[in-house]
Amino acid sequence: MSADKPAWSRKLTTAEREEFLAQPHIAVLSIGSDDGRPPSTLPTWYSYRPGGNIAVVTRKDKRKSRLIRLAGKVSISVQRPEVPYRYVTVEGTVVRQQLPTRDELVAIGSRYLPADAIDGWADWELGGGNDDGEPEYVEIRPDRWLTKDFG
């Protein structure tokens, strides 16, 4: 054991970090700002399958959407706030930003909503029911992983 690294703090393996990210946590998405403000940092639902890209839904033409398009890069972080504490942060490149398909919305929403609510939610989103604006699907390719397990 190294004198500068406690035994209770370690990086996650590739399999552990991907499995942890695949769980339905609430993610925190951060995007650099272009107007002198600090980075835009917001909680969000997301979808992820091990080995794949991360997807989130934003609102077309809103500040977050504009900043994502401008930066082309984001950070997304998820954590377990209970013992044993654990987090995964991904720095990634945006590879797609467009209107979601119904299947893409369902993939994200089904992680957070009851099964009997998914169809109604997807229809509501795609039918313009959300007063916050038109949904926009953002797909992020993981470029760099930062992880820690405090177990």
Side-chain angles (χ1 to χ4, degrees):
M1 172 171 60
S2 170
D4 60 343
K5 292 227 180 195
W8 48 264
S9 174
R10 68 174 183 85
K11 289 182 178 180
L12 299 173
T13 67
T14 299
E16 288 171 331
R17 74 185 187 199
E18 291 186 347
E19 187 272 330
F20 185 74
L21 189 62
Q23 296 170 13
H25 301 283
I26 299 297
V28 176
L29 179 71
S30 292
I31 312 114
S33 181
D34 67 339
D35 56 6
R37 291 170 57 182
S40 177
T41 302
L42 302 154
T44 190
W45 292 354
Y46 71 97
S47 66
Y48 174 76
R49 288 195 179 132
N53 290 335
I54 302 164
V56 300
V57 173
T58 63
R59 300 287 144 207
K60 185 178 178 190
D61 300 326
K62 298 290 185 173
R63 180 173 186 256
K64 181 170 43 170
S65 171
R66 183 180 56 77
L67 290 175
I68 290 170
R69 192 171 305 285
L70 183 66
K73 296 180 181 190
V74 301
S75 292
I76 191 163
S77 187
V78 298
Q79 67 177 346
R80 179 172 52 212
E82 308 89 23
V83 175
Y85 306 113
R86 181 179 271 192
Y87 73 84
V88 170
T89 297
V90 175
E91 297 171 350
T93 301
V94 175
V95 295
R96 215 171 114 218
Q97 188 172 0
Q98 64 190 46
L99 182 69
T101 66
R102 190 171 202 293
D103 288 345
E104 289 165 341
L105 278 178
V106 167
I108 293 173
S110 64
R111 294 166 48 93
Y112 302 96
L113 296 170
D116 63 349
I118 298 300
D119 287 333
W121 175 76
D123 292 342
W124 175 75
E125 283 285 1
L126 290 172
N130 190 328
D131 291 340
D132 288 332
E134 184 178 6
E136 184 176 64
Y137 183 84
V138 179
E139 189 174 333
I140 304 150
R141 181 189 67 230
D143 295 328
R144 183 170 184 231
W145 296 77
L146 306 158
T147 68
K148 195 64 76 172
D149 182 349
F150 295 96

